[in-house]
Amino acid sequence: MRNRAYHFEIKDLLTQFVAAFDDTVISRFNRNREAKQNIEVRYVFAPKQRVMYDIINKAQNLTLPVVSINLTGVTRDETRVFNKLAPSFIPGQLTEHPEKSSKFLMPVPVNLSVSMSIMTRYMADADQIISNFIPYNNPYIILSWKVPADFGTDYEQEIRSEVLWSGDLSYTTPTDTSYSDKFRVVIDTSFTIKGWLFPEQKDPQNTIYKIDNNFINVNLANRIYDPEGKELNFLTYEQQGYQSLPGFDDTVPTSYSETVTISGIPEFTNIFYATTGTFNAIRGVTTILSGRDNNFTLYGKRFDTSNSYYLSSNVDDFYSNYQQITSVKSPTISGYKLDESFYSTGNDNIVNLFFPASSLSASGNFTIVTANVAGWATSYQAQSSILKI
């Protein structure tokens, strides 16, 4: 048990429980039931016996009223257990986003048993204190807290925990005292807080950026018959001399399998350039004119996934303010990031770039790069295209 799953759940629940009660004010009344003095009741988190010891000073005087609260037990609540294998899903953000999600395994439902002892000098004080919480605990009160931050949400995901009062008040009043003993009333009661303990978050869900699918041509051992009942004798892979299915045998011709990749990385397929109204496909090294308006139309895939666009060159002083282009699946490169005013995304497959006259004032060879969180693509992918000023 080297893993430690500690998220302050019990501490937070007990803190909220005390805070829910720790604003009690009682009054001292005259014979006409008019409040003449208000007193704030002290709440302390400690066993009753310890509180009784601490509130007696050297002169044997009690500082009352006081309410002690103590955690007496933690039990697993089987009435709130459901499927342990299926994780609970919560959104990772307030608005739906395909790149973010969060899940966590079933937390353990626990009941926190809490004792409360009310100690007063006067019965009227005790009556006022219990009147501050009994009417509000019918049938229960709710503590609101949040899923631990380790579980991946970027906002506060609320959890509501019931606080159930036992419904019993046990009074203890002094019956055999001496003249020097101080009179006090002790009332004992209890509560149950329905909380949760979360497991360690070892394997958080993450975004998938690339999937390679291998499709294998497998010859089955079944015989196939034509409608006239004549057997068509296709040979199985074993009859062809292979010892295993094509996917597990290096001697099987590669034509037996095919790999299809699904990726979030952008890709360029074609690039068109124009200084007037006519666009022409470019290949290889293409010289552009910095003294004219330059228009580019780029075709490809995955342009509409929060992409940024850059100019990347092998010339050190092509532009200043170069920055790293980092991503999950592609290596880190550098480029000059374009302002959004220079490009517009038509759809997931088309993007238009416009550079007004003299905006490309540098000199040298460069390519256009687009990047998202998954990876990046360069216009060199489209017919080995390189732009030159």
Side-chain angles (χ1 to χ4, degrees):
M1 300 295 292
R2 299 179 62 183
N3 298 330
R4 183 179 67 175
Y6 180 55
H7 306 289
F8 301 93
E9 302 98 316
I10 294 178
K11 179 180 179 181
D12 291 344
L13 285 171
L14 291 176
T15 300
Q16 288 198 63
F17 175 81
V18 175
F21 292 87
D22 189 15
D23 57 358
T24 302
V25 177
I26 63 175
S27 300
R28 298 286 166 77
F29 299 89
N30 61 18
R31 67 178 61 186
N32 296 321
R33 297 187 177 182
E34 297 172 342
K36 295 300 183 181
Q37 182 184 8
N38 292 327
I39 301 173
E40 292 187 2
V41 180
R42 293 190 304 131
Y43 281 75
V44 295
F45 185 77
K48 177 179 66 174
Q49 293 80 4
R50 181 65 186 180
V51 173
M52 292 292 293
Y53 178 83
D54 289 345
I55 64 178
I56 300 176
N57 59 25
K58 292 181 180 180
Q60 297 295 302
N61 293 322
L62 293 177
T63 306
L64 298 175
V66 64
V67 178
S68 71
I69 295 173
N70 188 39
L71 178 66
T72 60
V74 178
T75 58
R76 179 172 173 266
D77 187 355
E78 295 193 13
T79 62
R80 291 186 287 142
V81 175
F82 53 92
N83 191 349
K84 177 181 179 180
L85 299 179
S88 301
F89 286 90
I90 58 173
Q93 56 288 320
L94 289 175
T95 57
E96 185 177 358
H97 195 290
E99 296 180 0
K100 294 183 179 180
S101 63
S102 180
K103 68 176 181 179
F104 53 86
L105 295 176
M106 164 76 178
V108 179
V110 293
N111 293 336
L112 309 183
S113 299
V114 178
S115 66
M116 176 184 287
S117 296
I118 303 167
M119 289 162 277
T120 67
R121 187 173 182 181
Y122 305 104
M123 186 65 73
D125 292 351
D127 294 342
Q128 291 182 72
I129 293 174
I130 65 174
S131 297
N132 271 273
F133 70 84
I134 289 180
Y136 305 102
N137 283 270
N138 186 25
Y140 51 78
I141 61 174
I142 294 293
L143 300 181
S144 177
W145 51 301
K146 62 182 181 179
V147 172
D150 294 344
F151 290 85
T153 59
D154 58 10
Y155 68 101
E156 295 183 356
Q157 173 67 34
E158 183 186 26
I159 303 175
R160 295 185 176 185
S161 292
E162 297 176 358
V163 178
L164 303 177
W165 174 47
S166 65
D168 297 324
L169 295 170
S170 177
Y171 282 72
T172 302
T173 55
T175 58
D176 186 12
T177 61
S178 64
Y179 176 79
S180 60
D181 291 336
K182 299 294 184 179
F183 184 87
R184 64 176 179 268
V185 179
V186 179
I187 304 174
D188 295 315
T189 188
S190 61
F191 296 83
T192 300
I193 305 175
K194 293 184 174 293
W196 302 89
L197 291 179
F198 287 80
E200 184 188 20
Q201 182 70 344
K202 295 189 299 183
D203 299 312
Q205 180 175 331
N206 208 342
T207 305
I208 298 174
Y209 298 102
K210 184 179 179 181
I211 301 173
D212 291 325
N213 292 303
N214 295 318
F215 294 90
I216 302 172
N217 181 15
V218 177
N219 296 311
L220 300 178
N222 296 335
R223 300 294 186 181
I224 302 177
Y225 294 85
D226 65 11
E228 298 181 357
K230 296 181 180 179
E231 184 177 356
L232 302 178
N233 291 312
F234 290 104
L235 298 177
T236 66
Y237 65 89
E238 294 172 328
Q239 293 169 333
Q240 294 182 51
Y242 303 122
Q243 299 302 314
S244 61
L245 295 177
F248 305 98
D249 192 341
D250 294 337
T251 63
V252 178
T254 56
S255 59
Y256 275 52
S257 63
E258 179 181 2
T259 299
V260 176
T261 299
I262 301 174
S263 173
I265 303 174
E267 178 183 346
F268 285 115
T269 56
N270 297 94
I271 179 171
F272 293 85
Y273 166 65
T275 56
T276 59
T278 303
F279 282 86
N280 297 302
I282 62 176
R283 296 175 176 84
V285 179
T286 300
T287 301
I288 64 175
L289 304 175
S290 61
R292 295 186 181 182
D293 294 342
N294 293 277
N295 296 275
F296 298 90
T297 298
L298 297 103
Y299 290 83
K301 302 176 182 178
R302 294 170 288 279
F303 292 158
D304 195 17
T305 53
S306 302
N307 288 38
S308 297
Y309 289 84
Y310 305 82
L311 300 182
S312 184
S313 175
N314 61 351
V315 180
D316 293 338
D317 58 351
F318 183 75
Y319 272 106
S320 60
N321 299 324
Y322 264 63
Q323 60 183 268
Q324 289 185 334
I325 304 175
T326 59
S327 60
V328 175
K329 303 299 293 185
S330 301
T332 300
I333 59 174
S334 62
Y336 172 79
K337 188 174 182 179
L338 296 175
D339 186 83
E340 293 182 0
S341 60
F342 288 108
Y343 62 88
S344 63
T345 304
N347 53 46
D348 199 45
N349 305 108
I350 300 175
V351 63
N352 296 295
L353 279 74
F354 171 69
F355 299 107
S358 301
S359 60
L360 294 174
S361 57
S363 61
N365 296 338
F366 69 96
T367 62
I368 300 171
V369 174
T370 183
N372 57 27
V373 66
W376 52 263
T378 171
S379 58
Y380 186 79
Q381 293 174 330
Q383 306 296 330
S384 302
S385 300
I386 296 177
L387 305 174
K388 180 179 180 180
I389 299 179

